[in-house]
Amino acid sequence: MMGNTVSDIDAIDYRQLSLAGTFALSSPAHSFCGDIVLPGDVHTALLAANEIPDPYFGQNEDAVAWVYKTPWTVERNFEIDAAMAAGYLTLTLSDVDCIAKVLLNDEVIAETQNQFIRYDIDVTGKIRAGKNTLRIEFAVVPDVAKARAGAHPFAIPYAAMNQKVAHLNFVRKTACHAGWDWGICIMPVGVYGRMELRRSRLARTESVQVEQRHENGQVNLSIKTRVHAFETGEISLTHAIDGQTIGGVVAVAKGENIITHDVTIASPKIWWPAGQGDQPLYDLVTDLDGEVTTRKIGLRKLEWIVEKDEIDHSFKCRINGRDITMMGANWIPADAIPSRITPDTVRDLLDSAVAANYNMLRVWGGGQYEPDYFYEMCDEMGLLVWHDFMFSCMPYPSDRAFLADVATEITQQVRRLSHHACIAIWCGDNEVIGSLNWYPETKANRDRHLANYDRLSKLLGEIVEDEDPQRRFWPSSPSLGYMDFADGWHIDTRGDMHFWDVWHSAKPFEHYRTVQPRFASEFGFQSFTSMDVIETFTNPEDRNPSSPVMETHQRNDGGNARILETMCRYFRFPKGFEEMVFLSQVQQGLAIKTAIEFWRSTKPRCMGTLYWQINDNWPVASWSSLDYGGQWKLLHYLAKRFFAPVNVVAVPKGHHIQLCAINDRADKLKLRVESFAVDMQGNVTEIGPVVGDVPRDAATPMVDISPLGDGQFLYFEWKDEHGNILGRNDFFPRAYKYYDLPQPSISASWSEEDGKAVLELETDKVALFVSASVDVPGYFSDNCLTLLPGTKARLSFTARKGAQPRLNDLKNSLKINHLAQTY
């Protein structure tokens, strides 16, 4: 076992000792004894010791299930000197997953039961100079969950359609750890957050929150600091921001103290979401007796406008006085194995979100509260966060003990995160209201379960009202609003909407145009993951959509069949497995493109589209636009185009096609839209240009186009008043299988410009969904293109994950796919 030594204690009042590092890992029920690095998880330790196979390969999920059915113990020694041992001492443990006893020198000092709580354990007088031992004994979560469910006064169903472990709603743990309809069941065990011994002179910092008031061109900040004092006395507490320092000596009483300071930023630099302006951040440096913490503060005024209008009620986000359409996707934990969730992994995913014109992510309620660095990066990048609390798809208990535990969790998380500019809204749960209509138990006695739900929901709302009154609490997603427990899945006149009829009910893509949500916070369509990812978890003989391995890596019942059924609806059946994988990603992109282009065209009725989902947490067929590992699927390229702040989309209106311009910028635009009817022989008929003004923050019809001839499709592009091309799009009146596609010859050439590799593509015949891929981590500036003869596409390549490819690396691994190639 490794140990730490703290020596040379000087006059600094506050000191901390990290207890992270190598622990001994063992189990009373298993012969394994080895090392584990914490923060980290048991699966990573067992993988490093070759005790388990890769859970993500083949059908190994069941082969490693014994890990979460086993009790585990971690232990290490550490050393401190007499000066450290004599202070007021706190052992801080966060993200302990999750039912565990914490022992210090063989004495039980805490019992944890909530992954989402930071445990600050007073160990004053329990630490001795010299050698000390910290041990954490983890219980078997499935056993605890089963016992709690059995002891409850009435049956509460769990999400058996998603989770392989029963009754996880009785345990405060990441719900998708037990599996989901896109997720593997790993049920990790470990500690993922802070592991520190903190010495304080008299008091420690609990939280620092900042309220903003924007008035007369200034921003007034109210800084609320919670301090835990071990005894009555005086502390030194200061805050420094924008060249100003406030605070000083403060008297405190034993226990919790709330200390408020006010400061004015006279000439504020205002924070905007991505695509709407800059994201300046101010350092707020807090010093409590030498305990120094720094927070980044973005100055912005954010409101949710929910008010009666001519339709029903609006639901939109107003930022710095402007109503801005929210565009993005839902976020799930970045990996099913927690040790693999790192700042680099998260930054890579968030970089791709910004590159695709996102301005919002929804942190989904079946996942987890993310590490501090996630929110710091969102602040930095201008990504707003719709934040669910961690409840999803099933009822939860509402007994006093459960609610007390949840109250600590929600209070801590709101206090931890509320200073972030990125936090846009607190949402009580994901689909828990809707789940009351799913289960036999809840349908049989909905009154009981609705009362049970309301007790929990009321608690969440009151905590937000008390702890973060400047932000809106939204009871559920989807929801029709305050104290409205009706069906938010199919009512599109108010609130937020989850619209799943196209996927789960196998409706055609055109069905998206039958609803006009005010804010679409969930909807999606699946594809297979990319071939290079499939190769990481299969053997060649497994590469068939109905093989046991491919079905194991498809968690939604009937998902692979639905992908193929839809393929037959829109395309001719592909000639091979690789072509099938490519075509599945084409149709996924088309589905979401159909929805978002139409809904954006209804602005200001619809003011938000967050598709399900941006990322995967293991290699799997899913609704994601980024593969596991962060590679761009075709949907992500299409997202970059359909989320463009200035866009032109085609909307069928009876037998005509309406071209609608969308302007999400703060200034009006003059656009020139040029449209053409194109047939498969490459004949191009100009329909005629139209020039018009598009007001700021508006969608405006530009022109109605008469029906096209048989075998024709609509191709159009738009330019600014200086003649610069801003974008291109197309519209096919019929399914692609009805078009007789030519077999094009596509030429590719590489060059280097301004330090970036540039790929130029040219075709001799009409080519649809032309997509370039290389073996190097990275993405092109555009992809999944419609190419016409005589036109060229120039695509620059951006490397990811620190790759520095040579031009030959790109050239030698280049692969071009297109629709005609799949037949």
Side-chain angles (χ1 to χ4, degrees):
M1 268 175 264
M2 296 179 62
N4 287 89
T5 301
V6 174
S7 58
D8 300 323
I9 298 295
D10 54 26
I12 297 175
D13 294 314
Y14 176 82
R15 297 295 296 267
Q16 66 184 43
L17 172 68
S18 173
L19 298 179
T22 302
F23 285 65
L25 174 66
S26 62
S27 171
H30 195 271
S31 60
F32 176 79
C33 290
D35 289 340
I36 181 173
V37 176
L38 295 179
D41 59 83
V42 170
H43 285 83
T44 297
L46 296 177
L47 279 166
N50 296 315
E51 287 290 316
I52 58 172
D54 177 4
Y56 296 174
F57 186 84
Q59 296 178 282
N60 285 343
E61 176 183 12
D62 290 339
V64 302
W66 66 269
V67 176
Y68 67 75
K69 299 174 184 177
T70 301
W72 294 99
T73 297
V74 299
E75 182 175 322
R76 75 168 301 173
N77 296 330
F78 62 96
E79 293 189 7
I80 65 170
D81 62 16
M84 182 74 167
Y88 290 109
L89 297 178
T90 302
L91 174 62
T92 294
L93 300 173
S94 66
D95 302 288
V96 179
D97 192 6
C98 65
I99 312 292
K101 289 183 180 179
V102 181
L103 296 92
L104 180 64
N105 298 327
D106 295 322
E107 176 189 353
V108 176
I109 57 170
E111 295 189 11
T112 69
Q113 62 170 10
N114 188 324
Q115 179 191 339
F116 309 129
I117 284 178
R118 183 190 75 243
Y119 291 91
D120 291 316
I121 308 162
D122 187 348
V123 292
T124 305
K126 299 180 184 297
I127 296 283
R128 56 196 177 215
K131 178 181 171 182
N132 293 266
T133 302
L134 175 65
R135 185 165 77 250
I136 306 175
E137 299 175 351
F138 293 95
V140 177
V141 167
D143 295 346
V144 174
K146 181 179 179 180
R148 291 180 179 178
H152 197 264
F154 57 90
I156 296 182
Y158 71 97
M161 67 286 195
N162 288 329
Q163 297 179 306
K164 287 190 173 184
V165 174
H167 311 299
L168 208 61
N169 43 353
F170 282 83
V171 177
R172 297 304 296 145
K173 176 178 172 62
T174 299
C176 63
H177 280 174
W180 214 258
D181 58 3
W182 39 259
I184 188 173
C185 177
I186 290 288
M187 288 290 287
V189 176
V191 182
Y192 317 137
R194 294 171 65 184
M195 305 184 73
E196 295 172 348
L197 183 65
R198 303 157 63 192
R199 188 197 75 169
S200 304
R201 184 185 66 82
L202 180 66
R204 66 171 184 252
T205 307
E206 294 286 88
S207 63
V208 177
Q209 295 175 268
V210 182
E211 290 187 4
Q212 305 182 18
R213 296 186 305 279
H214 292 243
E215 299 171 344
N216 303 319
Q218 299 181 336
V219 179
N220 302 308
L221 302 182
S222 179
I223 304 170
K224 182 165 61 177
T225 309
R226 279 185 173 79
V227 170
H228 174 83
F230 294 91
E231 298 291 345
T232 298
E234 290 185 339
I235 60 170
S236 171
L237 174 65
T238 61
H239 303 285
I241 187 170
D242 192 35
Q244 305 177 66
T245 299
I246 54 176
V249 175
V250 182
V252 293
K254 184 177 181 179
E256 183 179 86
N257 296 260
I258 300 175
I259 304 160
T260 302
H261 296 94
D262 296 321
V263 64
T264 297
I265 310 296
S267 301
K269 300 174 183 176
I270 298 300
W271 185 98
W272 288 92
Q276 301 296 334
D278 296 331
Q279 295 81 43
L281 297 171
Y282 290 79
D283 285 337
L284 172 64
V285 181
T286 301
D287 187 335
L288 168 60
D289 285 345
E291 180 188 1
V292 178
T293 54
T294 300
R295 291 162 181 81
K296 299 283 188 179
I297 307 299
L299 304 179
R300 88 290 182 274
K301 184 177 182 180
L302 187 149
E303 309 162 87
W304 285 87
I305 308 304
V306 182
E307 57 190 16
K308 191 167 181 57
D309 61 14
E310 65 278 6
I311 299 167
D312 186 342
H313 280 78
S314 63
F315 190 81
K316 57 187 177 181
C317 190
R318 180 171 294 166
I319 305 167
N320 303 324
R322 282 185 53 212
D323 296 340
I324 296 176
T325 301
M326 297 293 100
M327 298 181 293
N330 287 255
W331 172 276
I332 65 173
D335 208 292
I337 297 178
S339 295
R340 298 179 181 177
I341 301 175
T342 66
D344 286 345
T345 299
V346 169
R347 180 172 288 278
D348 177 60
L349 296 172
L350 296 181
D351 280 342
S352 289
V354 173
N357 291 313
Y358 285 31
N359 58 20
M360 177 174 274
L361 290 168
R362 174 176 172 238
V363 173
W364 166 74
Q368 64 194 23
Y369 307 95
E370 294 293 333
D372 289 341
Y373 59 75
F374 171 87
Y375 306 97
E376 291 165 0
M377 292 175 188
C378 287
D379 286 344
E380 170 194 331
M381 298 180 188
L383 289 169
L384 289 164
V385 174
W386 170 307
H387 211 306
D388 289 357
F389 293 129
M390 295 302 121
F391 305 92
S392 183
C393 289
M394 51 190 163
Y396 290 80
S398 64
D399 56 89
R400 292 183 68 177
F402 186 86
L403 292 182
D405 196 49
V406 166
T408 300
E409 166 195 329
I410 303 301
T411 300
Q412 277 193 3
Q413 294 294 345
V414 171
R415 290 176 181 175
R416 175 174 75 102
L417 300 176
S418 62
H419 71 275
H420 286 285
C422 66
I423 301 294
I425 194 169
W426 296 114
C427 178
D429 62 67
N430 171 76
E431 297 182 355
V432 177
I433 292 175
S435 76
L436 300 184
N437 299 318
W438 301 352
Y439 301 101
E441 299 93 334
T442 54
K443 289 191 290 185
N445 194 343
R446 193 174 191 272
D447 288 351
R448 163 185 270 178
H449 287 279
L450 183 58
N452 179 65
Y453 170 83
D454 186 54
R455 292 176 68 178
L456 176 58
S457 181
K458 184 173 184 290
L459 172 72
L460 304 180
E462 288 177 347
I463 292 173
V464 171
E465 185 178 344
D466 292 342
E467 299 293 339
D468 194 9
Q470 290 192 315
R471 283 191 179 86
R472 175 175 284 275
F473 173 75
W474 193 244
S476 183
S477 185
S479 174
L480 300 175
Y482 175 69
M483 293 297 288
D484 192 329
F485 303 110
D487 180 10
W489 294 69
H490 295 97
I491 296 173
D492 64 356
T493 60
R494 64 186 190 273
D496 72 312
M497 188 179 199
H498 292 191
F499 191 69
W500 281 104
D501 283 4
V502 172
W503 174 256
H504 288 301
S505 300
K507 297 289 181 66
F509 298 164
E510 294 75 16
H511 189 66
Y512 283 121
R513 301 192 188 107
T514 66
V515 295
Q516 299 184 42
R518 310 308 299 265
F519 195 107
S521 50
E522 252 200 49
F523 56 97
F525 200 89
Q526 274 201 4
S527 74
F528 295 117
T529 191
S530 300
M531 272 306 302
D532 59 340
V533 180
I534 290 173
E535 290 167 358
T536 67
F537 66 82
T538 61
N539 293 313
E541 61 270 21
D542 300 320
R543 293 163 197 166
N544 182 296
S546 58
S547 74
V549 169
M550 287 298 292
E551 290 185 342
T552 294
H553 290 253
Q554 164 62 267
R555 311 315 290 240
N556 187 229
D557 287 345
N560 288 354
R562 189 161 298 121
I563 292 171
L564 299 182
E565 174 195 1
T566 305
M567 205 171 284
C568 293
R569 185 180 295 168
Y570 290 100
F571 302 100
R572 301 179 190 185
F573 203 74
K575 62 186 178 182
F577 182 73
E578 290 194 25
E579 291 80 9
M580 181 181 298
V581 169
F582 169 72
L583 206 51
S584 78
Q585 294 196 11
V586 168
Q587 74 178 15
Q588 178 193 34
L590 283 174
I592 307 307
K593 177 179 187 284
T594 301
I596 291 180
E597 287 191 342
F598 175 65
W599 293 339
R600 286 191 70 193
S601 78
T602 70
K603 182 176 182 172
R605 178 181 178 125
C606 180
M607 291 297 291
T609 54
L610 308 177
Y611 64 81
W612 186 269
Q613 74 224 60
I614 180 175
N615 59 314
D616 279 331
N617 70 347
W618 76 306
V620 66
S622 84
W623 298 270
S624 70
S625 61
L626 298 176
D627 282 316
Y628 176 68
Q631 175 177 305
W632 288 34
K633 290 185 184 179
L634 298 185
L635 169 56
H636 210 74
Y637 285 105
L638 268 63
K640 182 180 179 182
R641 297 209 292 269
F642 59 60
F643 280 153
V646 177
N647 209 342
V648 177
V649 302
V651 179
K653 299 282 187 180
H655 296 295
H656 292 73
I657 304 166
Q658 183 182 88
L659 296 186
C660 180
I662 302 159
N663 177 18
D664 283 346
R665 292 181 177 171
D667 300 314
K668 72 175 183 179
L669 293 170
K670 184 179 289 294
L671 288 185
R672 176 185 174 92
V673 181
E674 299 175 356
S675 52
F676 309 88
V678 184
D679 65 22
M680 290 299 111
Q681 289 70 49
N683 299 311
V684 178
T685 302
E686 184 175 3
I687 295 174
V690 60
V691 178
D693 290 330
V694 186
R696 56 170 273 180
D697 293 325
T700 303
M702 296 291 286
V703 63
D704 281 349
I705 295 174
S706 299
L708 304 179
D710 289 343
Q712 290 184 320
F713 67 94
L714 182 66
Y715 183 87
F716 52 100
E717 60 187 29
W718 52 101
K719 303 175 181 178
D720 64 17
E721 57 187 330
H722 305 295
N724 300 308
I725 293 178
L726 301 180
R728 296 183 173 94
N729 205 344
D730 57 40
F731 178 79
F732 283 73
R734 306 184 70 195
Y736 295 88
K737 66 183 181 181
Y738 295 116
Y739 292 84
D740 293 324
L741 303 182
Q743 286 291 341
S745 175
I746 299 174
S747 63
S749 60
W750 288 92
S751 60
E752 193 165 343
E753 297 178 12
D754 299 324
K756 273 198 171 185
V758 175
L759 173 64
E760 187 170 274
L761 299 176
E762 192 170 5
T763 182
D764 63 343
K765 298 181 178 69
V766 172
L768 306 181
F769 306 113
V770 178
S771 301
S773 61
V774 292
D775 291 343
V776 178
Y779 56 87
F780 289 95
S781 55
D782 205 352
N783 224 335
C784 201
L785 307 169
T786 296
L787 286 186
L788 304 183
T791 63
K792 295 180 180 181
R794 292 174 57 79
L795 315 177
S796 62
F797 182 77
T798 299
R800 297 172 40 244
K801 296 186 172 182
Q804 295 181 318
R806 297 172 299 177
L807 210 55
N808 276 343
D809 297 331
L810 300 172
K811 182 177 181 180
N812 294 336
S813 65
L814 176 66
K815 185 174 183 179
I816 303 292
N817 286 311
H818 56 82
L819 182 57
Q821 200 174 46
T822 65
Y823 300 163

